[in-house]
């Protein structure tokens, strides 16, 4: 079968810029990712190899120039031998792409076997999130094998220099006119091979284990915050660096407080007597109760701000406020005595011809009158 044009493979024009090529590559790499192609892995892998090859040629100025001039002929010799050099599909290749595009910032030679990052979801109470807390978490993961200390070998003398690359981890391959460096297929870039694999970890240098970790959660975290524990992810293969562990924070809804960033809001129900005459009311804060003065003639919806009774900001030292929203509650389950008193109060209101005691009510009915009049 004739080889497909590299530009066609990536779906870009011959005049495409490097960033256009990159963009096309990223899109196709996602499309043919093994996780998204469980049903037809082999086909996706083949497609991906084509895409990666096209990308590698077209983003290398020298190779691109040769390809533009000679087409596939520029690379024909050694291509079949070099094909293996594109490496394992599901492993290193993808790590490379994702660190390239998302700024993983890892050393290239280490990407292939670096351990996976892990995510742990933690749920905190508002009090814990506001004050900060230390939590013990149990994470099932891969840890470095304690028998061989991650070497993967029975004895340290069983780790020997790779014969294929003589310890360099890379080999020269010819691709048409060019000699290119590729990861050594024997040792996968490690430069060393293991003669007698460790029995405990079967030569992988790591074992599965549930790790107990203590996580310090800083004061002020909120839902969506993520804490990175560097090197606490899965151990890499054969002593390669471990990935990172991300602790994803979720803060539970509080019974009383509603959080808005560093501020807190709560509802303070008061009865009509207190609302009318004023007085003191105890309100809750995250650090215990405080007394709040309710002035006489307080209406529903009135808001009182308690400065500094909110949540500390995660970055910086500012502390938010607590907003108390007053709700005047209509009394229920009245005794006959209370009903009597209210009846009496009601009568006195009726006698109030100028609605002095209910100005809102008066203005409302004045407007209604105007509307129909
Ligand atoms: Zn071992
Ligand atoms: Zn090697």
């Amino acid at each position: 079968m004739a080889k497909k044009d590299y530009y066609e493979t990536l779906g870009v024009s011959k005049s495409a810029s490097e960033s256009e090529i990159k963009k096309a590559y990223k899109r196709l790499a996602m499309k043919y990712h093994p996780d998204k192609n469980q049903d037809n892995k082999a086909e996706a892998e083949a497609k991906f190899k084509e895409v990666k090859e096209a990308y590698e040629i077209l983003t290398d100025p020298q190779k691109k120039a040769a390809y533009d001039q000679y087409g596939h002929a520029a690379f024909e010799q050694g291509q079949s031998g070099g094909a293996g050099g594109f490496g394992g599909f599901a492993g290193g290749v993808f790590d490379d792409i994702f660190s390239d595009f998302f700024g993983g910032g890892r050393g290239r030679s280490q990407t292939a076997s670096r351990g996976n990052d892990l995510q742990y979801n933690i749920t905190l109470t508002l009090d814990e999130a506001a004050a900060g807390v230390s939590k013990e978490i149990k994470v099932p993961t891969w840890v470095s094998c304690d028998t061989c200390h991650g070497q993967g070998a029975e004895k340290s003398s069983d780790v020997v220099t790779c014969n294929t690359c003589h310890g360099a981890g890379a080999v020269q391959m010819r691709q048409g006119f060019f000699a290119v460096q590729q990861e050594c297929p024997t040792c996968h870039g490690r430069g060393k091979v293991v003669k007698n694999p460790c029995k405990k970890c079967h030569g992988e240098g790591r074992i599965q284990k549930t790790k107990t970790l203590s996580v310090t959660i800083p004061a002020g975290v909120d839902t969506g915050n993520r804490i990175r524990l560097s090197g606490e992810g899965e151990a890499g293969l054969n002593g390669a660096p471990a990935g990172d562990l991300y602790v994803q924070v979720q803060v539970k809804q509080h019974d009383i407080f509603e959080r808005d960033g560093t501020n807190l809001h709560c509802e303070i129900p008061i009865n009509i007597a207190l609302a009318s005459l004023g007085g003191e009311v105890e309100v809750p804060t995250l650090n215990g109760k405080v007394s709040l003065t309710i002035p006489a003639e307080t209406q529903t919806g009135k808001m009182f701000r308690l400065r500094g009774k909110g949540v500390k900001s995660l970055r910086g030292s500012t502390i938010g406020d607590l907003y108390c929203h007053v709700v005047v509650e209509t009394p229920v389950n009245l005794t006959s005595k209370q009903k009597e008193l209210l009846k009496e109060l009601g009568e006195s209101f009726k006698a109030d011809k100028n609605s002095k005691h209910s100005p809102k009510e008066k203005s409302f009915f004045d407007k209604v009158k105007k509307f129909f009049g």
Side-chain angles (χ1 to χ4, degrees):
M1 196 177 68
K3 221 170 176 165
K4 213 170 149 192
D5 181 86
Y6 285 147
Y7 293 98
E8 245 172 69
T9 301
L10 291 176
V12 296
S13 74
K14 283 209 188 332
S15 55
S17 68
E18 188 170 333
S19 86
E20 281 170 316
I21 291 171
K22 260 199 174 155
K23 224 189 241 170
Y25 173 54
K26 183 179 165 186
R27 189 173 51 77
L28 292 166
M30 296 285 200
K31 184 175 167 187
Y32 296 124
H33 192 286
D35 289 352
K36 290 193 181 160
N37 294 279
Q38 297 291 355
D39 302 333
N40 53 351
K41 270 193 172 159
E43 199 193 313
E45 173 168 357
K47 285 262 202 255
F48 178 72
K49 276 185 178 165
E50 275 180 40
V51 168
K52 183 167 164 65
E53 189 184 323
Y55 169 74
E56 283 179 343
I57 300 290
L58 296 184
T59 49
D60 181 322
Q62 270 186 315
K63 289 184 191 170
K64 183 173 185 294
Y67 178 72
D68 286 343
Q69 198 168 354
Y70 304 102
H72 288 295
F75 309 103
E76 245 135 44
Q77 296 167 332
Q79 189 54 57
S80 53
F86 287 112
F89 180 59
V93 168
F94 266 97
D95 286 347
D96 276 359
I97 297 172
F98 293 120
S99 61
D100 281 359
F101 283 114
F102 303 120
R106 306 165 190 162
R108 234 170 198 286
S109 62
Q110 296 178 340
T111 39
S113 46
R114 180 186 181 271
N116 289 324
D117 291 340
L118 293 176
Q119 180 174 312
Y120 184 93
N121 298 325
I122 199 165
T123 304
L124 304 173
T125 64
L126 178 61
D127 303 67
E128 289 172 332
V133 65
S134 183
K135 284 268 177 184
E136 214 165 69
I137 62 171
K138 289 191 189 323
V139 189
T141 183
W142 290 90
V143 298
S144 179
C145 172
D146 49 1
T147 304
C148 63
H149 305 287
Q151 291 292 304
E154 273 293 289
K155 301 191 296 287
S156 54
S157 58
D158 289 333
V159 181
V160 296
T161 302
C162 172
N163 269 332
T164 310
C165 63
H166 309 288
V171 287
Q172 297 271 334
M173 296 266 195
R174 282 207 69 80
Q175 270 193 357
F177 302 150
F178 307 100
V180 291
Q181 279 234 336
Q182 282 180 337
E183 187 184 270
C184 170
T186 308
C187 64
H188 302 289
R190 204 180 159 209
K192 291 183 167 40
V193 289
V194 171
K195 273 199 300 187
N196 287 309
C198 164
K199 285 186 187 68
K200 185 165 180 185
C201 64
H202 310 290
E204 286 203 11
R206 59 179 194 171
I207 49 170
Q208 270 185 307
K209 194 183 159 188
T210 296
K211 200 156 69 162
T212 304
L213 284 170
S214 173
V215 187
T216 304
I217 315 266
V221 291
D222 204 348
T223 296
N225 288 146
R226 212 161 71 141
I227 297 156
R228 177 166 157 253
L229 302 180
S230 177
E232 296 291 0
E234 288 183 357
L237 281 170
N238 302 119
D244 298 330
L245 172 67
Y246 291 92
V247 178
Q248 186 79 44
V249 173
Q250 168 89 37
V251 180
K252 262 192 281 193
Q253 183 85 39
H254 194 275
D255 282 344
I256 297 171
F257 302 113
E258 187 109 18
R259 181 172 177 182
D260 175 21
T262 58
N263 294 326
L264 293 175
H265 295 263
C266 75
E267 224 171 55
I268 308 288
I270 58 174
N271 65 50
I272 48 169
L274 181 65
S276 310
L277 304 173
E280 298 284 309
V281 64
E282 275 199 329
V283 299
T285 74
L286 285 176
N287 308 306
K289 293 174 180 168
V290 297
S291 182
L292 177 68
T293 304
I294 303 287
E297 301 179 5
T298 292
Q299 306 286 351
T300 285
K302 174 88 181 160
M303 192 173 72
F304 296 96
R305 176 159 81 162
L306 302 181
R307 278 180 193 276
K309 297 290 184 194
V311 179
K312 189 190 152 296
S313 83
L314 186 57
R315 293 171 235 289
S317 53
T318 55
I319 300 175
D321 304 324
L322 170 61
Y323 292 89
C324 298
H325 302 258
V326 167
V327 176
V328 179
E329 189 176 25
T330 305
V332 296
N333 301 320
L334 297 168
T335 63
S336 45
K337 170 94 196 290
Q338 290 165 331
K339 282 179 189 167
E340 274 310 309
L341 288 169
L342 283 172
K343 233 178 252 173
E344 215 176 295
L345 183 63
E347 292 302 323
S348 77
F349 285 158
K350 268 186 204 161
D352 166 30
K353 293 294 172 218
N354 298 319
S355 293
K356 207 168 77 184
H357 307 302
S358 313
K360 253 192 198 164
E361 188 186 9
K362 180 174 166 17
S363 98
F364 174 71
F365 284 111
D366 284 351
K367 276 182 214 159
V368 172
K369 225 186 261 173
K370 219 182 263 172
F371 182 67
F372 290 108

